[in-house]
Amino acid sequence: MDKTLSPVNARQDSFTYLFILGAAIILILLFILYLIIRHIKNIHSSKNWIETHKNLPTVLKNVKNLAREAALTKSEISMLWSICKKNQVPNIEYSYRDNKLMDQLFSAEYQDMIVLEVDEEKIQELFSLRYKLEKCHEKKLQLKSTRSLKEGLSFTYNDEKKRLWTLTLLENKESGMTLLLPSGFIESENRPEPFTKITLSFSTPSDTRYKMITRIIRYEKDNKDRPLMTVTTSDQLEPILRRLAKRMDIETECEFSAIKLETQKNKKKFTVMENRYPGKLLDISATGCSLKSSLPIKKGQYLKLYFQLNNPELLEASGIIIVTNRAQDGKNFIIHVKFEQISISAQNRIYAQIYGYNAL
């Protein structure tokens, strides 16, 4: 008997044909499903669909969709849904991008919480929710080039001796960016030469920090005899310092004390020293700050800070120095502190100052 015509072989051939046919049907169905999903996405991204749906009242599904993007907790989802219902917020999947509207909503919510004497933990959650929505929007707008940077933006530059300089963007053109140089930069022996590459860093208004690589084109002076540096525009941008809390520039006097660290039986003991020294806060967040001091305090030292914001209340925070740079005046030092002990109420006062949600 011819084995190729045996019943067993015939059944095997039939199974093979069925398997191929089944696989082909599955592939066709998957392709059709792909086309349907792509068609739905195209519809949902069309201008007409967006305009029709973005002004509809927020429903719980909109809140949950945004929550997935912004990585909100269950409690934050509940808070956002409550705010949307109470204020009849237009579709939150779109309206969260409107910073003015968000600040109006969150400021009003903060005022209510203060009047009703809500727990500080709940107020902290409000600020956490606000920051997550802000960062979610910022992520969609991540910079790819320096061409969109606005005049007045500040850049920082660390020279070879770790001296920190602040440069200001005066003009941004296709041919290059013109930066106003601080006093003493031109005369510094550590000034980078023309045509060399340098790294600058800057922060966007929503507090995402970037570092960029650019090349110096030339040094010159303007008609006011101010020192300028022209650098190339750059596509070499990299987000850095993904902060856990929003930070703001500030100039206010402060005091600080050294903290003595002792280890006894494998336990750390912190003792705040009596002497207080003057300083000036340069920026602050709920998780850390930068201050200027004439004292060259090294990385790793613990400090306790005493400061006020927009009211007489004295705030305190303890932390560790993570970086110390020489200031651009060459005499003082810029000290970067990471808070390790700070009350929730103090953090909330800092958040309120940063966002401008001051209690009535």
Side-chain angles (χ1 to χ4, degrees):
M1 177 185 292
D2 188 349
K3 293 183 178 181
T4 60
L5 299 178
S6 69
V8 173
N9 287 339
R11 285 196 298 270
Q12 289 177 341
D13 288 343
S14 299
F15 177 78
T16 300
Y17 294 143
L18 287 173
F19 176 80
I20 294 173
L21 179 61
I25 292 173
I26 291 173
L27 289 174
I28 292 171
L29 291 175
L30 289 174
F31 181 68
I32 293 172
L33 180 61
Y34 163 76
L35 292 178
I36 292 172
I37 293 173
R38 190 176 70 171
H39 180 65
I40 293 173
K41 284 186 175 180
N42 288 338
I43 292 175
H44 287 186
S45 61
S46 68
K47 187 175 180 179
N48 288 338
W49 194 93
I50 291 173
E51 289 298 322
T52 300
H53 288 79
K54 73 178 184 179
N55 292 319
L56 294 176
T58 296
V59 296
L60 184 56
K61 180 181 178 181
N62 301 138
V63 173
K64 290 182 176 180
N65 288 342
L66 178 56
R68 283 192 291 270
E69 285 192 70
L72 303 184
T73 65
K74 288 184 179 179
S75 185
E76 288 167 345
I77 293 172
S78 177
M79 179 178 285
L80 181 58
W81 175 226
S82 175
I83 292 172
C84 290
K85 285 193 298 182
K86 181 167 64 176
N87 296 280
Q88 298 182 331
V89 177
N91 193 335
I92 191 65
E93 291 186 68
Y94 300 95
S95 59
Y96 86 98
R97 304 169 192 174
D98 185 340
N99 283 326
K100 185 177 180 181
L101 173 61
M102 290 298 102
D103 281 332
Q104 288 174 350
L105 293 171
F106 279 79
S107 178
E109 191 70 17
Y110 176 71
Q111 306 293 347
D112 289 347
M113 287 181 167
I114 294 298
V115 171
L116 298 174
E117 298 182 350
V118 172
D119 291 341
E120 293 287 350
E121 288 81 1
K122 206 65 181 176
I123 297 175
Q124 186 183 50
E125 186 175 73
L126 178 76
F127 286 117
S128 172
L129 172 59
R130 179 69 189 96
Y131 188 58
K132 285 183 179 181
L133 294 182
E134 196 172 35
K135 297 303 290 183
C136 184
H137 186 208
E138 175 72 19
K139 186 178 179 180
K140 294 179 179 294
L141 301 175
Q142 186 168 313
L143 293 177
K144 303 296 184 184
S145 169
T146 60
R147 292 174 180 83
S148 62
L149 299 181
K150 304 297 183 183
E151 287 77 6
L153 186 70
S154 293
F155 293 84
T156 55
Y157 170 71
N158 282 305
D159 65 21
E160 294 178 353
K161 299 295 183 180
K162 292 187 177 181
R163 188 170 174 180
L164 189 66
W165 303 90
T166 301
L167 299 73
T168 305
L169 180 60
L170 286 185
E171 195 172 36
N172 192 358
K173 294 183 177 180
E174 189 69 28
S175 57
M177 299 187 297
T178 302
L179 306 176
L180 176 63
L181 300 175
S183 174
F185 188 92
I186 290 291
E187 296 77 19
S188 172
E189 62 181 11
N190 297 309
R191 181 195 73 180
E193 295 297 322
F195 309 115
T196 58
K197 286 186 177 181
I198 60 172
T199 299
L200 301 176
S201 59
F202 64 93
S203 294
T204 63
S206 59
D207 201 41
T208 297
R209 193 158 181 81
Y210 291 86
K211 68 177 181 181
M212 55 172 281
I213 298 175
T214 184
R215 187 183 296 275
I216 300 173
I217 299 175
R218 62 180 177 274
Y219 291 104
E220 59 187 328
K221 290 189 176 182
D222 63 8
N223 54 14
K224 297 179 181 178
D225 203 36
R226 297 182 299 179
L228 307 177
M229 178 171 70
T230 301
V231 299
T232 57
T233 56
S234 177
D235 297 326
Q236 294 180 272
L237 299 181
E238 181 183 342
I240 57 174
L241 294 177
R242 296 186 180 275
R243 294 172 174 146
L244 299 176
K246 189 177 177 67
R247 184 176 295 255
M248 73 174 292
D249 294 331
I250 188 173
E251 284 198 22
T252 185
E253 302 299 323
C254 68
E255 290 185 327
F256 62 88
S257 300
I259 295 178
K260 185 179 180 181
L261 173 61
E262 296 177 321
T263 303
Q264 298 178 351
K265 296 181 180 181
N266 296 324
K267 291 184 178 181
K268 292 182 178 180
K269 180 183 177 182
F270 297 90
T271 304
V272 179
M273 310 305 288
E274 291 185 5
N275 291 339
R276 293 190 184 187
Y277 304 94
K280 178 175 284 188
L281 282 178
L282 301 178
D283 63 50
I284 193 166
S285 76
T287 58
C289 69
S290 296
L291 64 115
K292 181 188 287 188
S293 170
S294 60
L295 300 178
I297 313 175
K298 294 182 180 179
K299 174 182 176 181
Q301 170 68 51
Y302 285 86
L303 299 178
K304 183 164 186 177
L305 289 100
Y306 311 86
F307 56 94
Q308 294 172 312
L309 295 177
N310 59 350
N311 59 53
E313 181 183 5
L314 182 66
L315 303 179
E316 300 179 0
S318 298
I320 186 172
I321 297 174
I322 55 174
V323 177
T324 296
N325 296 113
R326 188 177 292 275
Q328 65 186 37
D329 61 14
K331 300 176 182 178
N332 293 291
F333 297 86
I334 308 299
I335 300 168
H336 302 269
V337 179
K338 177 186 176 184
F339 294 154
E340 294 198 350
Q341 288 186 338
I342 181 172
S343 68
I344 295 177
S345 62
Q347 287 183 318
N348 288 339
R349 301 304 168 269
I350 293 171
Y351 283 127
Q353 173 84 5
I354 291 172
Y355 281 105
Y357 301 167
N358 297 319
L360 297 175

